[in-house]
Amino acid sequence: MSAVGQQEEQLSQSDLSPSSNSSSSFEIIDMDAASLYEPVSPHWFYCKIIDSKETWIPFNAEDSQRLEEAYGSDKDCNGRVVPTDGGRYDVHLGERMRYAVYWDELASEVRRCTWFYKGDKDNKYVPYSESFSQQLEETYMLAVTLDEWKKKLESPNREIIILHNPKLMVHYHLVARSDEWGSIPAEQGRPRTVKRGVENISVDIPCGEPLQIDHLVFVVHGIGPACDLRFRSIVQCVNDFRGVSLNLLQTHFKKAQEQQQIGRVEFLPVNWHSPLHSTGVDVDLRRITLPSINRLRHFTNDTILDVFFYNSPTYCQTIVDTVASEMNRIYKLFLQRNPNFKGGVSIAGHSLGSLILFDLLTNQKDPLEENDSEKVIPRVVLDQGDTLDLEEDLKKLQLSEFCNLFKKEKIDKAALALCTERDLQEMGIPLGPRKKILNYFKNGENIQSVNKQNQQSALGGNLPVLSEKSKDCNSTGGAGNEEYLDISIGQASVKYPRLIYKPDIFFAFGSPIGMFLTVRGLKRIDPNYKLPTCKGFFNIYHPFDPVAYRIEPMVVPGVEFEPMLIPHHKGRKRMHLELREGLTRMSMDLKNNVLSSLRMAWKSFTRAPYPALQATEAAAADETEPEPEAVPEKPSGDSPVADKEEAASINVGMLNGGQRIDYVLQEKPIESFNEYLFALQSHLCYWESEDTVLLVLKEIYQTQGIFLDQPTQ
């Protein structure tokens, strides 16, 4: 304490009264402060553990005001719950704790803050506890009222705070270490700055979010628990995505916001990694994992193996059940907390998450279409005489005794092709006849045309033909002869759950859907195919993303065309892309001009002498019938504008309602120097990409008839 006293004396001598003029100026300040005391304005903070240390983050201005109003009300704070952060977190005032609503997260401490001191290793201010802040405020009020300063307080952890004057308040942080002589070094007791009121500390306080929610988007992550290069969770990455969307709404939908036509889009994360790895599979993997390169093997088990888990029928069922149940649960909870919500719902998936959603959507069924198909199928079947064909086939198999059973169950030839062995077993058909029927109707060539007719009649001609190659190991042919294959093949033993809503749009970020469909045996997607319950589908990717694949070439395999270029959020193209396209166009123009000049010169040299009349006629003929110019080569970079307009008008089927499906981002100038260096970063860039978020917002609000203030195309 002697060192502290010496420092206090030195500090007071140097800071308070270096001269008589300065001391008189402090007296004037004190006299002014004595007559201008005002209570401090509190602001509410919550504590988050970031990089293994506590960080205090302020609530936005609206949430802090709501918390203060609830705190100042006459009602008891115990049991009082205040929703914050757009309704994604609840603050229990009595407990002073903040809880996540839609996902699992550690509860964080909440504090009503008025006094702060500077931290140890950074310049961020840390709030004092509410009880000690009240003591500081009372001491400050007495000092200002009585004009008596140099007040000294002792904190609960026995540290010293001294109020020298309204402009100088310090906190001595004592360190219990000594040197070999037993004295405390002076530099370990250096004072830290103390501030009163949040307005005196450097902290960014957001304004808040609009209360009106226009649309809800569920976001499903890819492999592993981390979603970016900073190893952050899906919750943190979606927070960035949501923050970018709020900024873009203010800049690109300003007119609609001023007219109160729109509020905001809510993005909620869906986590399937934790439930999957809580099944005990990690313990099983740990027993068989080699001890060498431990960190790399742990990373592989925790991330890359998620792809193999999804290809396993057992764990694939766990994944799809988790994703569907989470989205249904969150949707119900969201409607309970937002009873006035009238907007639509969309879904977005990153990497493997987009494939999970695609498989889930392809196996959804519209209840209305199901009822219609039940009415249409019998009429179509009777016209084709499938019932008579079924009797003939059963006679060939010497199983005519089951004809009445099939008639009773209203099963015709087409319906029998869709039956499984369990279905036949439940009907009471013995094992031997079951095997005969399945072998005949599953492998017979005569059933493939029936499958195609039945499935297309059931869903309006939208469902591709089912391939038996991946479902029956004994089937060696047929898959190569099919024009279209089933989109959901490769997951034969998985039962896909139903979603309780119909998504408006499906956004895929950095998606490997095209690759997985190809390796499952799908060579082409029927142009008439569309997702049963989802109208829109956008495949968004970075050009250097090593995981992303296109979809449109599977719909239109015979035509080569570029994907749609996503506009920059500030308009036009990036400068380096415009420069590259301009140079390409200039070189093509120069090449064409040189060829044209050489051709005209060659004509002048090789032209025979004509009489005057013949020369005039020949010139007129040359003017009326010019020779065709050489077709310029296609540049290796971006296509010309005419080619892009032609590509935009290409029919890419009904998967996205007739619109284009593939959308490519513009790489940054620094990324164009080395594609391989930025490959991994390109796969994880979507969370903070303004261009990606703007495309999502534009497509969502276009369904409501609201457009950008300044179109970016």
Side-chain angles (χ1 to χ4, degrees):
M1 293 298 293
S2 59
V4 175
Q6 292 176 2
Q7 288 186 7
E8 177 187 343
E9 183 178 357
Q10 294 174 0
L11 187 62
S12 60
Q13 290 178 358
S14 60
D15 294 339
L16 292 179
S17 57
S19 63
S20 59
N21 294 332
S22 63
S23 61
S24 61
S25 63
F26 277 120
E27 291 177 359
I28 295 175
I29 293 176
D30 293 346
M31 292 299 295
D32 293 339
S35 58
L36 296 176
Y37 169 77
E38 293 182 359
V40 63
S41 298
H43 195 91
W44 291 76
F45 283 65
Y46 63 92
C47 182
K48 294 281 289 185
I49 304 299
I50 302 177
D51 297 333
S52 301
K53 65 178 182 180
E54 293 184 353
T55 302
W56 287 90
I57 303 174
F59 285 95
N60 62 60
E62 295 179 358
D63 287 344
S64 180
Q65 183 178 358
R66 280 193 287 267
L67 289 169
E68 185 64 21
E69 291 175 354
Y71 172 82
S73 62
D74 297 334
K75 299 180 181 179
D76 188 8
C77 291
N78 293 328
R80 190 74 180 272
V81 178
V82 180
T84 60
D85 298 277
R88 297 180 296 275
Y89 290 89
D90 282 342
V91 172
H92 295 237
L93 279 182
E95 302 176 16
R96 291 293 196 274
M97 298 298 290
R98 174 176 176 265
Y99 297 92
V101 174
Y102 298 107
W103 55 83
D104 293 332
E105 184 179 314
L106 292 176
S108 53
E109 182 184 354
V110 174
R111 189 174 293 180
R112 182 176 181 264
C113 304
T114 53
W115 286 76
F116 307 84
Y117 66 94
K118 188 169 290 188
D120 295 329
K121 299 180 181 179
D122 51 23
N123 294 325
K124 294 182 179 179
Y125 281 88
V126 180
Y128 288 104
S129 64
E130 294 187 31
S131 58
F132 188 68
S133 295
Q134 186 175 358
Q135 295 181 26
L136 285 170
E137 182 64 19
E138 292 175 356
T139 304
Y140 178 85
M141 180 181 64
L142 291 175
V144 170
T145 304
L146 302 177
D147 194 17
E148 295 179 358
W149 292 97
K150 296 185 181 180
K151 298 288 185 179
K152 183 183 298 185
L153 290 86
E154 184 175 341
S155 67
N157 54 354
R158 305 188 67 80
E159 294 179 351
I160 304 300
I161 295 91
I162 301 177
L163 309 182
H164 290 286
N165 58 62
K167 303 296 182 181
L168 180 60
M169 295 173 283
V170 293
H171 179 143
Y172 290 96
H173 179 62
L174 302 180
V175 180
R177 287 189 294 175
S178 60
D179 57 13
E180 57 185 356
W181 299 99
S183 61
I184 300 177
E187 62 270 14
Q188 292 187 5
R190 295 178 60 183
R192 291 180 290 179
T193 307
V194 176
K195 294 293 184 180
R196 174 179 179 266
V198 70
E199 63 275 2
N200 293 320
I201 64 175
S202 55
V203 61
D204 294 330
I205 300 177
C207 297
E209 303 177 15
L211 297 178
Q212 177 185 341
I213 300 177
D214 305 317
H215 204 85
L216 176 63
V217 180
F218 293 110
V219 184
V220 180
H221 65 86
I223 62 173
C227 297
D228 65 354
L229 292 176
R230 288 176 281 177
F231 298 98
R232 298 185 304 167
S233 65
I234 180 64
V235 174
Q236 295 171 307
C237 291
V238 172
N239 286 342
D240 281 350
F241 202 89
R242 188 187 305 108
V244 174
S245 71
L246 291 174
N247 294 332
L248 290 175
L249 286 175
Q250 295 176 359
T251 56
H252 291 71
F253 294 87
K254 188 175 182 180
K255 180 184 294 185
Q257 277 196 338
E258 291 177 350
Q259 297 176 357
Q260 296 183 351
Q261 294 179 345
I262 64 173
R264 63 183 175 91
V265 177
E266 180 63 281
F267 298 90
L268 296 179
V270 178
N271 181 16
W272 57 266
H273 181 269
S274 299
L276 170 65
H277 288 262
S278 62
T279 58
V281 64
D282 289 347
V283 178
D284 298 334
L285 287 174
R286 200 175 300 119
R287 288 198 298 264
I288 61 176
T289 301
L290 299 181
S292 59
I293 53 175
N294 183 42
R295 292 185 178 179
L296 179 58
R297 296 186 191 278
H298 176 73
F299 174 79
T300 301
N301 292 346
D302 207 30
T303 56
I304 300 177
L305 286 188
D306 286 347
V307 180
F308 298 96
F309 286 142
Y310 188 66
N311 288 327
S312 165
T314 301
Y315 295 106
C316 178
Q317 188 68 62
T318 302
I319 293 174
V320 296
D321 286 345
T322 301
V323 172
S325 62
E326 274 295 288
M327 290 197 295
N328 289 338
R329 179 190 66 84
I330 296 174
Y331 181 68
K332 291 179 182 178
L333 183 58
F334 178 83
L335 292 182
Q336 291 176 4
R337 297 176 62 89
N338 301 273
N340 297 325
F341 176 72
K342 302 298 182 183
V345 183
S346 295
I347 56 178
H350 175 243
S351 189
L352 183 62
S354 63
L355 177 65
I356 298 171
L357 293 176
F358 185 81
D359 287 339
L360 194 62
L361 290 177
T362 56
N363 288 275
Q364 296 297 300
K365 294 182 179 179
D366 191 344
L368 297 179
E369 292 181 358
E370 282 184 352
N371 296 334
D372 294 340
S373 64
E374 292 176 357
K375 298 176 182 178
V376 173
I377 288 177
R379 178 180 56 81
V380 176
V381 167
L382 290 177
D383 291 342
Q384 296 176 350
D386 289 338
T387 304
L388 297 177
D389 293 340
L390 178 59
E391 294 181 2
E392 295 178 359
D393 291 332
L394 291 176
K395 287 180 181 180
K396 293 180 182 179
L397 297 175
Q398 297 180 353
L399 298 175
S400 301
E401 64 270 21
F402 298 107
C403 289
N404 294 330
L405 178 61
F406 288 137
K407 289 180 180 180
K408 180 181 178 182
E409 296 292 338
K410 296 181 180 180
I411 294 179
D412 50 31
K413 187 175 180 179
L416 183 58
L418 302 176
C419 291
T420 63
E421 184 174 0
R422 174 177 290 183
D423 297 331
L424 299 180
Q425 184 178 3
E426 292 177 353
M427 292 170 57
I429 300 177
L431 178 61
R434 282 205 310 268
K435 292 298 183 181
K436 287 184 179 181
I437 293 173
L438 289 175
N439 183 61
Y440 180 80
F441 285 97
K442 293 298 182 183
N443 295 333
E445 295 180 357
N446 59 342
I447 200 61
Q448 293 180 2
S449 60
V450 178
N451 282 342
K452 184 174 182 179
Q453 294 171 358
N454 178 56
Q455 291 175 359
Q456 289 184 348
S457 63
L459 294 181
N462 295 326
L463 188 63
V465 175
L466 181 64
S467 170
E468 301 300 336
K469 181 177 181 180
S470 61
K471 284 193 168 188
D472 193 344
C473 298
N474 297 326
S475 175
T476 57
N481 299 327
E482 297 289 353
E483 184 179 3
Y484 303 117
L485 305 180
D486 181 22
I487 286 183
S488 61
I489 61 175
Q491 307 291 344
S493 60
V494 176
K495 183 178 180 181
Y496 289 91
R498 298 281 187 93
L499 298 177
I500 59 177
Y501 52 85
K502 296 181 181 179
D504 292 343
I505 307 175
F506 168 40
F507 299 98
F509 306 140
S511 171
I513 293 176
M515 181 269 291
F516 271 86
L517 295 182
T518 301
V519 299
R520 290 176 182 177
L522 182 66
K523 297 184 180 298
R524 185 182 177 188
I525 300 176
D526 188 345
N528 294 323
Y529 178 78
K530 58 184 178 181
L531 299 174
T533 59
C534 185
K535 300 177 181 178
F537 175 34
F538 291 84
N539 183 37
I540 304 170
Y541 61 92
H542 191 281
F544 303 155
D545 190 341
V547 182
Y549 289 81
R550 292 192 62 183
I551 299 293
E552 290 174 341
M554 301 187 70
V555 183
V556 192
V559 182
E560 293 185 3
F561 54 95
E562 297 294 327
M564 291 293 291
L565 187 67
I566 299 177
H568 192 265
H569 64 283
K570 293 184 179 179
R572 301 183 60 184
K573 286 186 179 179
R574 293 185 184 271
M575 185 176 297
H576 71 287
L577 295 179
E578 287 190 347
L579 179 61
R580 185 170 64 188
E581 184 176 348
L583 292 175
T584 303
R585 198 174 289 152
M586 184 184 301
S587 64
M588 295 302 302
D589 292 341
L590 289 175
K591 180 179 178 180
N592 293 335
N593 291 334
V594 170
L595 291 176
S596 178
S597 300
L598 291 176
R599 187 166 50 251
M600 294 298 295
W602 179 256
K603 286 182 180 180
S604 63
F605 283 122
T606 58
R607 181 175 297 171
Y610 292 105
L613 181 60
Q614 294 179 354
T616 304
E617 294 177 354
D622 290 340
E623 291 178 0
T624 56
E625 297 180 0
E627 294 184 6
E629 296 182 357
V631 179
E633 298 179 359
K634 186 177 181 180
S636 58
D638 293 332
S639 302
V641 177
D643 293 342
K644 291 184 178 180
E645 293 178 353
E646 182 180 356
S649 61
I650 292 178
N651 182 12
V652 292
M654 299 303 297
L655 194 57
N656 191 23
Q659 302 182 53
R660 293 293 302 273
I661 302 172
D662 293 335
Y663 288 79
V664 60
L665 292 167
Q666 303 178 35
E667 72 271 16
K668 297 178 181 178
I670 191 174
E671 295 174 345
S672 60
F673 287 108
N674 193 323
E675 300 178 2
Y676 297 94
L677 184 62
F678 294 94
L680 180 59
Q681 178 179 341
S682 300
H683 183 58
L684 305 173
C685 71
Y686 306 99
W687 307 115
E688 299 178 354
S689 170
E690 292 93 343
D691 300 345
T692 301
V693 179
L694 185 60
L695 177 63
V696 171
L697 293 177
K698 183 184 73 171
E699 295 300 330
I700 287 176
Y701 279 111
Q702 276 185 358
T703 61
Q704 304 177 15
I706 299 174
F707 302 91
L708 296 171
D709 291 343
Q710 296 179 353
T712 54
Q713 293 191 19

